[in-house]
PDB file of all heavy atoms in Angstrom:
ATOM      1  N   GLN I  81     -62.348  46.031  89.047  1.00 40.00           N
ATOM      2  CA  GLN I  81     -62.543  45.029  90.086  1.00 40.00           C
ATOM      3  C   GLN I  81     -61.748  45.418  91.316  1.00 40.00           C
ATOM      4  O   GLN I  81     -60.661  45.953  91.226  1.00 40.00           O
ATOM      5  CB  GLN I  81     -62.049  43.664  89.608  1.00 40.00           C
ATOM      6  CG  GLN I  81     -62.933  43.035  88.567  1.00 40.00           C
ATOM      7  CD  GLN I  81     -62.393  41.675  88.187  1.00 40.00           C
ATOM      8  OE1 GLN I  81     -61.280  41.563  87.702  1.00 40.00           O
ATOM      9  NE2 GLN I  81     -63.181  40.654  88.430  1.00 40.00           N
ATOM     10  N   SER I  82     -62.278  45.104  92.490  1.00 44.00           N
ATOM     11  CA  SER I  82     -61.568  45.449  93.711  1.00 44.00           C
ATOM     12  C   SER I  82     -60.485  44.432  94.023  1.00 44.00           C
ATOM     13  O   SER I  82     -59.510  44.740  94.660  1.00 44.00           O
ATOM     14  CB  SER I  82     -62.550  45.559  94.883  1.00 44.00           C
ATOM     15  OG  SER I  82     -63.230  44.340  95.040  1.00 44.00           O
ATOM     16  N   LEU I  90     -50.749  38.311  87.186  1.00 82.00           N
ATOM     17  CA  LEU I  90     -49.516  37.785  86.602  1.00 82.00           C
ATOM     18  C   LEU I  90     -49.248  38.355  85.208  1.00 82.00           C
ATOM     19  O   LEU I  90     -48.110  38.335  84.747  1.00 82.00           O
ATOM     20  CB  LEU I  90     -49.549  36.258  86.553  1.00 82.00           C
ATOM     21  CG  LEU I  90     -49.597  35.564  87.918  1.00 82.00           C
ATOM     22  CD1 LEU I  90     -49.712  34.056  87.735  1.00 82.00           C
ATOM     23  CD2 LEU I  90     -48.391  35.921  88.772  1.00 82.00           C
ATOM     24  N   ASP I  93     -47.519  44.404  84.403  1.00 90.00           N
ATOM     25  CA  ASP I  93     -46.104  44.746  84.449  1.00 90.00           C
ATOM     26  C   ASP I  93     -45.640  44.827  85.906  1.00 90.00           C
ATOM     27  O   ASP I  93     -46.456  44.884  86.828  1.00 90.00           O
ATOM     28  CB  ASP I  93     -45.827  46.040  83.682  1.00 90.00           C
ATOM     29  CG  ASP I  93     -46.561  47.241  84.250  1.00 90.00           C
ATOM     30  OD1 ASP I  93     -46.735  47.344  85.481  1.00 90.00           O
ATOM     31  OD2 ASP I  93     -46.955  48.111  83.457  1.00 90.00           O
ATOM     32  N   CYS I 101     -49.406  45.172  95.377  1.00 95.00           N
ATOM     33  CA  CYS I 101     -48.854  44.620  96.620  1.00 95.00           C
ATOM     34  C   CYS I 101     -48.908  45.675  97.732  1.00 95.00           C
ATOM     35  O   CYS I 101     -49.310  45.385  98.861  1.00 95.00           O
ATOM     36  CB  CYS I 101     -47.427  44.155  96.361  1.00 95.00           C
ATOM     37  SG  CYS I 101     -46.762  43.003  97.568  1.00 95.00           S
ATOM     38  N   LEU I 105     -51.211  45.511 101.131  1.00 96.00           N
ATOM     39  CA  LEU I 105     -50.673  45.677 102.481  1.00 96.00           C
ATOM     40  C   LEU I 105     -51.423  46.764 103.233  1.00 96.00           C
ATOM     41  O   LEU I 105     -51.774  46.601 104.408  1.00 96.00           O
ATOM     42  CB  LEU I 105     -49.175  45.992 102.434  1.00 96.00           C
ATOM     43  CG  LEU I 105     -48.489  46.271 103.767  1.00 96.00           C
ATOM     44  CD1 LEU I 105     -48.604  45.079 104.721  1.00 96.00           C
ATOM     45  CD2 LEU I 105     -47.022  46.626 103.539  1.00 96.00           C
ATOM     46  N   GLN I 118     -33.359  28.696 107.680  1.00 87.00           N
ATOM     47  CA  GLN I 118     -32.484  29.696 108.289  1.00 87.00           C
ATOM     48  C   GLN I 118     -33.095  31.090 108.358  1.00 87.00           C
ATOM     49  O   GLN I 118     -32.438  32.027 108.764  1.00 87.00           O
ATOM     50  CB  GLN I 118     -31.136  29.730 107.557  1.00 87.00           C
ATOM     51  CG  GLN I 118     -31.203  30.193 106.115  1.00 87.00           C
ATOM     52  CD  GLN I 118     -31.568  29.086 105.124  1.00 87.00           C
ATOM     53  OE1 GLN I 118     -32.169  28.083 105.469  1.00 87.00           O
ATOM     54  NE2 GLN I 118     -31.228  29.286 103.859  1.00 87.00           N
ATOM     55  N   TRP I 120     -35.816  34.181 106.468  1.00 92.00           N
ATOM     56  CA  TRP I 120     -36.464  34.647 105.243  1.00 92.00           C
ATOM     57  C   TRP I 120     -35.578  34.389 104.041  1.00 92.00           C
ATOM     58  O   TRP I 120     -34.363  34.548 104.105  1.00 92.00           O
ATOM     59  CB  TRP I 120     -36.786  36.142 105.344  1.00 92.00           C
ATOM     60  CG  TRP I 120     -37.744  36.424 106.443  1.00 92.00           C
ATOM     61  CD1 TRP I 120     -37.466  37.007 107.640  1.00 92.00           C
ATOM     62  CD2 TRP I 120     -39.134  36.093 106.485  1.00 92.00           C
ATOM     63  NE1 TRP I 120     -38.605  37.059 108.419  1.00 92.00           N
ATOM     64  CE2 TRP I 120     -39.641  36.504 107.742  1.00 92.00           C
ATOM     65  CE3 TRP I 120     -40.002  35.486 105.589  1.00 92.00           C
ATOM     66  CZ2 TRP I 120     -40.967  36.332 108.108  1.00 92.00           C
ATOM     67  CZ3 TRP I 120     -41.329  35.310 105.959  1.00 92.00           C
ATOM     68  CH2 TRP I 120     -41.796  35.734 107.195  1.00 92.00           C
ATOM     69  N   VAL I 121     -36.182  33.999 102.930  1.00 91.00           N
ATOM     70  CA  VAL I 121     -35.449  33.778 101.686  1.00 91.00           C
ATOM     71  C   VAL I 121     -34.862  35.112 101.239  1.00 91.00           C
ATOM     72  O   VAL I 121     -35.549  36.121 101.191  1.00 91.00           O
ATOM     73  CB  VAL I 121     -36.381  33.201 100.596  1.00 91.00           C
ATOM     74  CG1 VAL I 121     -35.721  33.251  99.224  1.00 91.00           C
ATOM     75  CG2 VAL I 121     -36.779  31.779 100.948  1.00 91.00           C
ATOM     76  N   ALA I 125     -29.990  40.348  93.688  1.00 79.00           N
ATOM     77  CA  ALA I 125     -30.458  40.958  92.448  1.00 79.00           C
ATOM     78  C   ALA I 125     -29.610  42.186  92.169  1.00 79.00           C
ATOM     79  O   ALA I 125     -29.572  43.116  92.972  1.00 79.00           O
ATOM     80  CB  ALA I 125     -31.926  41.337  92.569  1.00 79.00           C
ATOM     81  N   GLU I 126     -28.905  42.146  91.060  1.00 79.00           N
ATOM     82  CA  GLU I 126     -28.029  43.250  90.682  1.00 79.00           C
ATOM     83  C   GLU I 126     -27.046  43.585  91.803  1.00 79.00           C
ATOM     84  O   GLU I 126     -26.738  44.747  92.057  1.00 79.00           O
ATOM     85  CB  GLU I 126     -28.855  44.473  90.277  1.00 79.00           C
ATOM     86  CG  GLU I 126     -29.780  44.214  89.105  1.00 79.00           C
ATOM     87  CD  GLU I 126     -30.699  45.372  88.789  1.00 79.00           C
ATOM     88  OE1 GLU I 126     -30.482  46.483  89.302  1.00 79.00           O
ATOM     89  OE2 GLU I 126     -31.640  45.163  88.010  1.00 79.00           O
ATOM     90  N   ALA I 140     -47.270  33.493  96.342  1.00 90.00           N
ATOM     91  CA  ALA I 140     -46.021  33.060  96.974  1.00 90.00           C
ATOM     92  C   ALA I 140     -45.769  31.581  96.689  1.00 90.00           C
ATOM     93  O   ALA I 140     -44.640  31.186  96.382  1.00 90.00           O
ATOM     94  CB  ALA I 140     -46.077  33.312  98.475  1.00 90.00           C
ATOM     95  N   GLN I 141     -46.804  30.753  96.767  1.00 88.00           N
ATOM     96  CA  GLN I 141     -46.651  29.324  96.499  1.00 88.00           C
ATOM     97  C   GLN I 141     -46.266  29.058  95.048  1.00 88.00           C
ATOM     98  O   GLN I 141     -45.444  28.187  94.770  1.00 88.00           O
ATOM     99  CB  GLN I 141     -47.940  28.570  96.839  1.00 88.00           C
ATOM    100  CG  GLN I 141     -48.141  28.417  98.324  1.00 88.00           C
ATOM    101  CD  GLN I 141     -49.457  27.753  98.667  1.00 88.00           C
ATOM    102  OE1 GLN I 141     -50.475  27.994  98.030  1.00 88.00           O
ATOM    103  NE2 GLN I 141     -49.432  26.919  99.685  1.00 88.00           N
ATOM    104  N   LEU I 144     -42.639  29.785  94.841  1.00 81.00           N
ATOM    105  CA  LEU I 144     -41.859  28.756  95.533  1.00 81.00           C
ATOM    106  C   LEU I 144     -41.750  27.478  94.724  1.00 81.00           C
ATOM    107  O   LEU I 144     -40.684  26.862  94.681  1.00 81.00           O
ATOM    108  CB  LEU I 144     -42.513  28.415  96.876  1.00 81.00           C
ATOM    109  CG  LEU I 144     -42.242  29.375  98.010  1.00 81.00           C
ATOM    110  CD1 LEU I 144     -43.005  28.929  99.248  1.00 81.00           C
ATOM    111  CD2 LEU I 144     -40.775  29.465  98.326  1.00 81.00           C
ATOM    112  N   TYR I 148     -37.936  27.889  94.923  1.00 79.00           N
ATOM    113  CA  TYR I 148     -37.459  27.375  96.210  1.00 79.00           C
ATOM    114  C   TYR I 148     -38.463  26.385  96.793  1.00 79.00           C
ATOM    115  O   TYR I 148     -39.144  26.684  97.774  1.00 79.00           O
ATOM    116  CB  TYR I 148     -37.253  28.528  97.200  1.00 79.00           C
ATOM    117  CG  TYR I 148     -36.076  29.408  96.865  1.00 79.00           C
ATOM    118  CD1 TYR I 148     -36.247  30.560  96.106  1.00 79.00           C
ATOM    119  CD2 TYR I 148     -34.803  29.068  97.287  1.00 79.00           C
ATOM    120  CE1 TYR I 148     -35.167  31.362  95.787  1.00 79.00           C
ATOM    121  CE2 TYR I 148     -33.721  29.866  96.969  1.00 79.00           C
ATOM    122  CZ  TYR I 148     -33.909  31.016  96.217  1.00 79.00           C
ATOM    123  OH  TYR I 148     -32.845  31.808  95.897  1.00 79.00           O
ATOM    124  N   GLY I 167     -36.937  47.159 110.574  1.00 96.00           N
ATOM    125  CA  GLY I 167     -35.706  47.568 111.242  1.00 96.00           C
ATOM    126  C   GLY I 167     -34.544  46.644 110.928  1.00 96.00           C
ATOM    127  O   GLY I 167     -33.430  47.103 110.642  1.00 96.00           O
ATOM    128  N   ASP I 172     -29.610  45.700 107.729  1.00 94.00           N
ATOM    129  CA  ASP I 172     -28.824  44.801 106.878  1.00 94.00           C
ATOM    130  C   ASP I 172     -28.815  45.242 105.413  1.00 94.00           C
ATOM    131  O   ASP I 172     -28.271  44.537 104.555  1.00 94.00           O
ATOM    132  CB  ASP I 172     -29.378  43.378 106.970  1.00 94.00           C
ATOM    133  CG  ASP I 172     -29.168  42.765 108.349  1.00 94.00           C
ATOM    134  OD1 ASP I 172     -28.266  43.217 109.085  1.00 94.00           O
ATOM    135  OD2 ASP I 172     -29.918  41.821 108.688  1.00 94.00           O
ATOM    136  N   LEU I 176     -36.553  45.192  99.274  1.00 96.00           N
ATOM    137  CA  LEU I 176     -37.784  44.419  99.226  1.00 96.00           C
ATOM    138  C   LEU I 176     -38.222  44.297  97.774  1.00 96.00           C
ATOM    139  O   LEU I 176     -38.372  45.305  97.088  1.00 96.00           O
ATOM    140  CB  LEU I 176     -38.858  45.103 100.061  1.00 96.00           C
ATOM    141  CG  LEU I 176     -38.423  45.446 101.489  1.00 96.00           C
ATOM    142  CD1 LEU I 176     -39.497  46.245 102.204  1.00 96.00           C
ATOM    143  CD2 LEU I 176     -38.057  44.194 102.258  1.00 96.00           C
ATOM    144  N   LEU I 181     -42.396  37.782  89.554  1.00 84.00           N
ATOM    145  CA  LEU I 181     -42.989  36.680  88.817  1.00 84.00           C
ATOM    146  C   LEU I 181     -42.159  35.422  89.018  1.00 84.00           C
ATOM    147  O   LEU I 181     -40.934  35.480  89.044  1.00 84.00           O
ATOM    148  CB  LEU I 181     -43.053  36.991  87.313  1.00 84.00           C
ATOM    149  CG  LEU I 181     -44.060  38.035  86.879  1.00 84.00           C
ATOM    150  CD1 LEU I 181     -43.998  38.212  85.364  1.00 84.00           C
ATOM    151  CD2 LEU I 181     -45.468  37.658  87.314  1.00 84.00           C
ATOM    152  N   ALA I 182     -42.832  34.304  89.100  1.00 71.00           N
ATOM    153  CA  ALA I 182     -42.166  33.036  89.369  1.00 71.00           C
ATOM    154  C   ALA I 182     -41.174  32.645  88.286  1.00 71.00           C
ATOM    155  O   ALA I 182     -40.074  32.211  88.578  1.00 71.00           O
ATOM    156  CB  ALA I 182     -43.207  31.936  89.537  1.00 71.00           C
ATOM    157  N   GLU I 193     -37.376  52.160 103.583  1.00 97.00           N
ATOM    158  CA  GLU I 193     -37.887  53.513 103.784  1.00 97.00           C
ATOM    159  C   GLU I 193     -38.869  53.918 102.692  1.00 97.00           C
ATOM    160  O   GLU I 193     -39.851  54.620 102.953  1.00 97.00           O
ATOM    161  CB  GLU I 193     -36.729  54.533 103.823  1.00 97.00           C
ATOM    162  CG  GLU I 193     -35.742  54.326 104.944  1.00 97.00           C
ATOM    163  CD  GLU I 193     -34.629  53.324 104.624  1.00 97.00           C
ATOM    164  OE1 GLU I 193     -34.682  52.656 103.570  1.00 97.00           O
ATOM    165  OE2 GLU I 193     -33.713  53.187 105.443  1.00 97.00           O
ATOM    166  N   GLN I 196     -42.151  52.153 103.403  1.00 96.00           N
ATOM    167  CA  GLN I 196     -42.815  52.785 104.549  1.00 96.00           C
ATOM    168  C   GLN I 196     -43.457  54.112 104.145  1.00 96.00           C
ATOM    169  O   GLN I 196     -44.583  54.405 104.543  1.00 96.00           O
ATOM    170  CB  GLN I 196     -41.819  53.006 105.689  1.00 96.00           C
ATOM    171  CG  GLN I 196     -41.425  51.722 106.384  1.00 96.00           C
ATOM    172  CD  GLN I 196     -40.358  51.943 107.432  1.00 96.00           C
ATOM    173  OE1 GLN I 196     -39.301  52.508 107.167  1.00 96.00           O
ATOM    174  NE2 GLN I 196     -40.638  51.488 108.645  1.00 96.00           N
ATOM    175  N   GLU I 202     -50.363  55.830 101.184  1.00 88.00           N
ATOM    176  CA  GLU I 202     -51.536  55.026 100.807  1.00 88.00           C
ATOM    177  C   GLU I 202     -52.569  54.990 101.931  1.00 88.00           C
ATOM    178  O   GLU I 202     -53.757  55.145 101.695  1.00 88.00           O
ATOM    179  CB  GLU I 202     -51.072  53.583 100.472  1.00 88.00           C
ATOM    180  CG  GLU I 202     -52.144  52.691  99.940  1.00 88.00           C
ATOM    181  CD  GLU I 202     -52.574  53.023  98.527  1.00 88.00           C
ATOM    182  OE1 GLU I 202     -51.777  53.563  97.736  1.00 88.00           O
ATOM    183  OE2 GLU I 202     -53.744  52.750  98.212  1.00 88.00           O
TER     184      GLU I 202
END
Side-chain angles (χ1 to χ4, degrees):
Q81 288 182 299
S82 58
L90 296 177
D93 61 35
C101 199
L105 177 60
Q118 65 276 23
W120 298 107
V121 168
E126 300 174 13
Q141 285 176 322
L144 280 178
Y148 289 94
D172 293 338
L176 308 174
L181 289 180
E193 298 85 352
Q196 288 175 306
E202 186 72 28

